[in-house]
mmCIF file of all heavy atoms in Angstrom:
data_model
loop_
_atom_site.group_PDB
_atom_site.id
_atom_site.type_symbol
_atom_site.label_atom_id
_atom_site.label_comp_id
_atom_site.label_asym_id
_atom_site.label_seq_id
_atom_site.Cartn_x
_atom_site.Cartn_y
_atom_site.Cartn_z
ATOM 1 N N ARG A 32 10.481 -83.181 -27.404
ATOM 2 C CA ARG A 32 11.392 -83.829 -28.368
ATOM 3 C C ARG A 32 12.536 -82.890 -28.751
ATOM 4 O O ARG A 32 13.695 -83.294 -28.825
ATOM 5 C CB ARG A 32 10.616 -84.268 -29.607
ATOM 6 C CG ARG A 32 11.420 -85.157 -30.557
ATOM 7 C CD ARG A 32 10.721 -85.345 -31.885
ATOM 8 N NE ARG A 32 10.597 -84.123 -32.642
ATOM 9 C CZ ARG A 32 11.608 -83.528 -33.288
ATOM 10 N NH1 ARG A 32 12.803 -84.022 -33.262
ATOM 11 N NH2 ARG A 32 11.408 -82.413 -33.961
ATOM 12 N N GLN A 33 12.214 -81.609 -28.951
ATOM 13 C CA GLN A 33 13.245 -80.637 -29.297
ATOM 14 C C GLN A 33 14.240 -80.457 -28.152
ATOM 15 O O GLN A 33 15.455 -80.345 -28.382
ATOM 16 C CB GLN A 33 12.602 -79.292 -29.663
ATOM 17 C CG GLN A 33 11.879 -79.308 -30.989
ATOM 18 C CD GLN A 33 11.076 -78.030 -31.217
ATOM 19 O OE1 GLN A 33 11.105 -77.097 -30.432
ATOM 20 N NE2 GLN A 33 10.367 -77.987 -32.351
ATOM 21 N N MET A 34 13.754 -80.435 -26.902
ATOM 22 C CA MET A 34 14.650 -80.323 -25.745
ATOM 23 C C MET A 34 15.546 -81.560 -25.656
ATOM 24 O O MET A 34 16.734 -81.441 -25.403
ATOM 25 C CB MET A 34 13.854 -80.206 -24.449
ATOM 26 C CG MET A 34 13.633 -78.826 -23.877
ATOM 27 S SD MET A 34 14.981 -77.671 -23.933
ATOM 28 C CE MET A 34 15.826 -77.998 -22.418
ATOM 29 N N SER A 35 14.962 -82.723 -25.884
ATOM 30 C CA SER A 35 15.756 -83.966 -25.858
ATOM 31 C C SER A 35 16.851 -83.912 -26.911
ATOM 32 O O SER A 35 17.991 -84.330 -26.659
ATOM 33 C CB SER A 35 14.859 -85.173 -26.086
ATOM 34 O OG SER A 35 13.960 -85.323 -25.026
ATOM 35 N N LYS A 36 16.513 -83.380 -28.076
ATOM 36 C CA LYS A 36 17.490 -83.266 -29.148
ATOM 37 C C LYS A 36 18.616 -82.302 -28.750
ATOM 38 O O LYS A 36 19.790 -82.581 -28.983
ATOM 39 C CB LYS A 36 16.806 -82.787 -30.438
ATOM 40 C CG LYS A 36 17.710 -82.782 -31.636
ATOM 41 C CD LYS A 36 16.944 -82.421 -32.889
ATOM 42 C CE LYS A 36 17.882 -82.378 -34.077
ATOM 43 N NZ LYS A 36 17.186 -82.020 -35.308
ATOM 44 N N LYS A 37 18.242 -81.184 -28.099
ATOM 45 C CA LYS A 37 19.266 -80.245 -27.622
ATOM 46 C C LYS A 37 20.194 -80.912 -26.614
ATOM 47 O O LYS A 37 21.410 -80.724 -26.648
ATOM 48 C CB LYS A 37 18.608 -79.027 -26.944
ATOM 49 C CG LYS A 37 18.129 -77.970 -27.875
ATOM 50 C CD LYS A 37 17.621 -76.789 -27.043
ATOM 51 C CE LYS A 37 17.304 -75.613 -27.927
ATOM 52 N NZ LYS A 37 16.923 -74.424 -27.139
ATOM 53 N N TRP A 38 19.607 -81.695 -25.695
ATOM 54 C CA TRP A 38 20.404 -82.398 -24.704
ATOM 55 C C TRP A 38 21.388 -83.339 -25.392
ATOM 56 O O TRP A 38 22.569 -83.389 -25.039
ATOM 57 C CB TRP A 38 19.536 -83.197 -23.734
ATOM 58 C CG TRP A 38 18.894 -82.389 -22.644
ATOM 59 C CD1 TRP A 38 19.435 -81.359 -21.951
ATOM 60 C CD2 TRP A 38 17.593 -82.579 -22.109
ATOM 61 N NE1 TRP A 38 18.531 -80.874 -21.026
ATOM 62 C CE2 TRP A 38 17.403 -81.619 -21.101
ATOM 63 C CE3 TRP A 38 16.566 -83.469 -22.383
ATOM 64 C CZ2 TRP A 38 16.226 -81.513 -20.368
ATOM 65 C CZ3 TRP A 38 15.389 -83.367 -21.639
ATOM 66 C CH2 TRP A 38 15.237 -82.395 -20.648
ATOM 67 N N MET A 39 20.894 -84.102 -26.360
ATOM 68 C CA MET A 39 21.744 -85.081 -27.037
ATOM 69 C C MET A 39 22.828 -84.397 -27.887
ATOM 70 O O MET A 39 23.970 -84.871 -27.920
ATOM 71 C CB MET A 39 20.914 -86.029 -27.908
ATOM 72 C CG MET A 39 20.181 -87.078 -27.105
ATOM 73 S SD MET A 39 21.239 -88.014 -25.952
ATOM 74 C CE MET A 39 22.399 -88.774 -27.074
ATOM 75 N N LEU A 40 22.472 -83.317 -28.571
ATOM 76 C CA LEU A 40 23.486 -82.599 -29.352
ATOM 77 C C LEU A 40 24.587 -82.083 -28.435
ATOM 78 O O LEU A 40 25.772 -82.199 -28.769
ATOM 79 C CB LEU A 40 22.848 -81.443 -30.129
ATOM 80 C CG LEU A 40 21.981 -81.844 -31.317
ATOM 81 C CD1 LEU A 40 21.250 -80.640 -31.882
ATOM 82 C CD2 LEU A 40 22.838 -82.486 -32.401
ATOM 83 N N ASP A 41 24.212 -81.534 -27.289
ATOM 84 C CA ASP A 41 25.194 -81.043 -26.350
ATOM 85 C C ASP A 41 26.032 -82.195 -25.803
ATOM 86 O O ASP A 41 27.252 -82.081 -25.688
ATOM 87 C CB ASP A 41 24.518 -80.276 -25.222
ATOM 88 C CG ASP A 41 25.523 -79.517 -24.380
ATOM 89 O OD1 ASP A 41 25.868 -78.392 -24.774
ATOM 90 O OD2 ASP A 41 25.973 -80.065 -23.342
ATOM 91 N N TRP A 42 25.382 -83.313 -25.467
ATOM 92 C CA TRP A 42 26.122 -84.482 -24.956
ATOM 93 C C TRP A 42 27.146 -84.933 -26.006
ATOM 94 O O TRP A 42 28.303 -85.165 -25.683
ATOM 95 C CB TRP A 42 25.163 -85.629 -24.641
ATOM 96 C CG TRP A 42 25.907 -86.854 -24.167
ATOM 97 C CD1 TRP A 42 26.489 -87.817 -24.944
ATOM 98 C CD2 TRP A 42 26.189 -87.212 -22.818
ATOM 99 N NE1 TRP A 42 27.105 -88.757 -24.161
ATOM 100 C CE2 TRP A 42 26.927 -88.406 -22.842
ATOM 101 C CE3 TRP A 42 25.872 -86.632 -21.590
ATOM 102 C CZ2 TRP A 42 27.372 -89.042 -21.689
ATOM 103 C CZ3 TRP A 42 26.296 -87.277 -20.440
ATOM 104 C CH2 TRP A 42 27.050 -88.454 -20.489
ATOM 105 N N ASN A 43 26.694 -85.078 -27.253
ATOM 106 C CA ASN A 43 27.583 -85.571 -28.304
ATOM 107 C C ASN A 43 28.750 -84.619 -28.571
ATOM 108 O O ASN A 43 29.837 -85.072 -28.951
ATOM 109 C CB ASN A 43 26.805 -85.835 -29.584
ATOM 110 C CG ASN A 43 25.896 -87.037 -29.449
ATOM 111 O OD1 ASN A 43 26.166 -87.951 -28.679
ATOM 112 N ND2 ASN A 43 24.806 -87.045 -30.181
ATOM 113 N N LYS A 44 28.536 -83.335 -28.342
ATOM 114 C CA LYS A 44 29.600 -82.364 -28.528
ATOM 115 C C LYS A 44 30.641 -82.465 -27.420
ATOM 116 O O LYS A 44 31.820 -82.253 -27.644
ATOM 117 C CB LYS A 44 29.002 -80.949 -28.578
ATOM 118 C CG LYS A 44 29.980 -79.850 -28.903
ATOM 119 C CD LYS A 44 29.277 -78.520 -29.103
ATOM 120 C CE LYS A 44 28.779 -78.017 -27.754
ATOM 121 N NZ LYS A 44 28.250 -76.647 -27.812
ATOM 122 N N ASN A 45 30.202 -82.788 -26.223
ATOM 123 C CA ASN A 45 31.078 -82.767 -25.048
ATOM 124 C C ASN A 45 31.269 -84.121 -24.372
ATOM 125 O O ASN A 45 31.808 -84.178 -23.277
ATOM 126 C CB ASN A 45 30.507 -81.794 -24.007
ATOM 127 C CG ASN A 45 30.439 -80.393 -24.523
ATOM 128 O OD1 ASN A 45 31.428 -79.833 -24.932
ATOM 129 N ND2 ASN A 45 29.251 -79.817 -24.530
ATOM 130 N N LYS A 46 30.793 -85.201 -24.996
ATOM 131 C CA LYS A 46 30.771 -86.491 -24.278
ATOM 132 C C LYS A 46 32.165 -86.892 -23.794
ATOM 133 O O LYS A 46 33.115 -86.917 -24.556
ATOM 134 C CB LYS A 46 30.112 -87.567 -25.090
ATOM 135 C CG LYS A 46 30.790 -87.975 -26.366
ATOM 136 C CD LYS A 46 29.964 -89.061 -27.027
ATOM 137 C CE LYS A 46 30.275 -89.175 -28.483
ATOM 138 N NZ LYS A 46 29.417 -90.154 -29.123
ATOM 139 N N PRO A 52 25.036 -91.613 -23.057
ATOM 140 C CA PRO A 52 24.265 -91.377 -21.831
ATOM 141 C C PRO A 52 23.945 -92.673 -21.076
ATOM 142 O O PRO A 52 23.887 -92.672 -19.842
ATOM 143 C CB PRO A 52 22.990 -90.693 -22.342
ATOM 144 C CG PRO A 52 23.387 -90.044 -23.614
ATOM 145 C CD PRO A 52 24.408 -90.980 -24.206
ATOM 146 N N ARG A 130 25.756 -78.159 -18.591
ATOM 147 C CA ARG A 130 24.807 -78.172 -19.713
ATOM 148 C C ARG A 130 23.408 -77.793 -19.258
ATOM 149 O O ARG A 130 22.746 -76.963 -19.887
ATOM 150 C CB ARG A 130 24.776 -79.577 -20.333
ATOM 151 C CG ARG A 130 23.782 -79.665 -21.495
ATOM 152 C CD ARG A 130 23.251 -81.057 -21.747
ATOM 153 N NE ARG A 130 22.559 -81.562 -20.587
ATOM 154 C CZ ARG A 130 22.406 -82.857 -20.329
ATOM 155 N NH1 ARG A 130 22.898 -83.746 -21.142
ATOM 156 N NH2 ARG A 130 21.738 -83.256 -19.263
ATOM 157 N N ARG A 133 23.053 -74.127 -18.654
ATOM 158 C CA ARG A 133 22.927 -73.391 -19.932
ATOM 159 C C ARG A 133 21.535 -73.527 -20.515
ATOM 160 O O ARG A 133 20.921 -72.548 -20.925
ATOM 161 C CB ARG A 133 23.953 -73.911 -20.940
ATOM 162 C CG ARG A 133 25.323 -73.362 -20.821
ATOM 163 C CD ARG A 133 26.196 -73.668 -22.032
ATOM 164 N NE ARG A 133 26.121 -75.042 -22.518
ATOM 165 C CZ ARG A 133 26.809 -76.064 -22.044
ATOM 166 N NH1 ARG A 133 27.631 -75.891 -21.033
ATOM 167 N NH2 ARG A 133 26.686 -77.269 -22.555
ATOM 168 N N LEU A 134 21.041 -74.768 -20.572
ATOM 169 C CA LEU A 134 19.765 -75.011 -21.237
ATOM 170 C C LEU A 134 18.576 -74.405 -20.496
ATOM 171 O O LEU A 134 17.566 -74.058 -21.104
ATOM 172 C CB LEU A 134 19.549 -76.515 -21.436
ATOM 173 C CG LEU A 134 20.490 -77.182 -22.435
ATOM 174 C CD1 LEU A 134 20.249 -78.683 -22.477
ATOM 175 C CD2 LEU A 134 20.342 -76.604 -23.822
#
Side-chain angles (χ1 to χ4, degrees):
R32 190 191 65 74
Q33 289 172 2
M34 263 319 271
S35 295
K36 186 175 179 180
K37 278 185 172 185
W38 281 322
M39 284 308 299
L40 287 172
D41 192 85
W42 178 276
N43 289 332
K44 185 173 71 172
N45 298 303
K46 65 180 160 184
R130 179 205 60 205
R133 278 193 315 276
L134 292 176

